[in-house]
Amino acid sequence: MIKNIIYLDEDKMYSLSSQLFEGITEYVLNEKNLEKIESEEQRGYISSGRIVGDILKNSERNTEKKFLNDYSYTLFEKKLIEENKVLTVSYESSSLEKLIKEKSFIKVTAKATFNDIDSIISTLNDFNRMGKALTYVTNYEDIRLVKAELSRVQKGKDERSKISGLNAELRRISDIDKISSDQGLNFDKQLLDDLSFLLEYGLGGQLEVQMNLSNHIASANLNRKFLREPEDLVIRKYSRQTEVQFTLFGIITQYEKEQTSPPEAAHDYETLKEAIMNMVSHVTNLESAFTGRLSNEIIIDPIAMYTEL
């Protein structure tokens, strides 16, 4: 099947490939060192035609490199599977506790959920403003009609009794703060600021992908620079909760069902080193509240993520 790769950690892939194939892999050595130089003759400043040619040459080289990386990954994954180093799981897979201890690599195929913490923090920071804007836009037509009716009545003589009622209605539908709050689109600013701070402190910059299996959750933190397209574009294309199945390939890093408890912090210490270790223990306990692994969670160091066509 054809792989539509959206994420590829090239450095990690080539580092592991060089060991897997006992040195620099053959398919890297066989990279063609051909440069298609398309110089464009043009009138203008001196050397301007050469600059255009260099740009076209570099563009050709980058495209060739991307194609080579994709083929390299296909051979890399195939070799690991042939050597029985990969645990292949899907949505229906269960009872992985024993199997997972025997493998270093995992290939998970299931629908994915993208948790973009930066996007969530941005939404929290602008939530009230966005809620008020949405409320005003949805109520704009009602406000416009009441204003028009009020203007008409004020010019007449026989309908002045309606003025007070229209003014009251206009005040009601123009109170955007109250309406947005009643609709759950306006929260206490301090609450939103504190939520934003906690997310930034504990999970800032994290782009996590989760895949729900039968009895487990597979999760991985993606490095944004290895995405083939910006994360917001990926989410627009596939949705935050995808309809198509993705394949996540990587290294198993955490999986134990019984998690080890963090060491208890000491209260008395004689040296600076002991004090630092005590501080590290407290920080570990704090971080576990944000990033602690779930009891049924398999954490993966991702190498590639793709759909199959």
Side-chain angles (χ1 to χ4, degrees), residues 55-223:
I55 291 173
L56 293 174
K57 179 182 69 176
N58 290 332
S59 176
E60 179 73 17
R61 179 181 294 174
N62 289 336
T63 303
E64 178 69 22
K65 184 173 184 292
K66 181 178 291 186
F67 291 150
L68 188 71
N69 287 337
D70 292 358
Y71 182 60
S72 300
Y73 172 75
T74 300
L75 296 180
F76 168 69
E77 182 186 302
K78 181 180 179 182
K79 181 70 171 177
L80 286 172
I81 292 175
E82 287 175 351
E83 295 193 1
N84 198 30
K85 296 180 181 293
V86 180
L87 175 62
T88 303
V89 300
S90 62
Y91 173 77
E92 294 83 8
S93 301
S94 60
S95 303
L96 300 176
E97 288 80 5
K98 183 179 179 180
L99 295 173
I100 204 170
K101 295 180 180 180
E102 302 172 357
K103 310 289 183 181
S104 298
F105 296 89
I106 189 169
K107 179 180 178 181
V108 184
T109 301
K111 293 181 179 181
T113 299
F114 293 98
N115 297 323
D116 185 357
I117 300 302
D118 281 351
S119 175
I120 295 174
I121 291 174
S122 176
T123 300
L124 286 174
N125 290 337
D126 294 329
F127 187 85
N128 284 347
R129 182 181 177 186
M130 183 172 57
K132 290 171 67 174
L134 183 62
T135 301
Y136 182 80
V137 169
T138 55
N139 286 275
Y140 171 76
E141 186 62 19
D142 292 339
I143 294 173
R144 187 187 68 81
L145 291 175
V146 172
K147 283 183 176 179
E149 179 65 11
L150 181 61
S151 177
R152 186 189 68 80
V153 169
Q154 287 175 337
K155 294 178 182 179
K157 298 181 179 179
D158 301 330
E159 299 180 289
R160 291 187 178 275
S161 59
K162 297 181 179 180
I163 293 179
S164 60
L166 289 171
N167 279 326
E169 177 65 11
L170 183 60
R171 284 194 298 270
R172 186 187 69 80
I173 63 177
S174 298
D175 191 349
I176 301 301
D177 287 338
K178 184 178 186 307
I179 296 174
S180 59
S181 180
D182 292 342
Q183 294 178 346
L185 296 174
N186 194 314
F187 288 101
D188 179 72
K189 186 178 184 304
Q190 184 66 45
L191 172 63
L192 295 176
D193 288 345
D194 288 347
L195 284 173
S196 178
F197 168 76
L198 290 173
L199 287 175
E200 178 67 36
Y201 174 83
L203 304 171
Q206 178 174 298
L207 176 60
E208 182 187 48
V209 59
Q210 287 187 339
M211 294 179 166
N212 289 323
L213 308 177
S214 179
N215 298 320
H216 295 80
I217 297 173
S219 64
N221 283 314
L222 305 180
N223 190 328

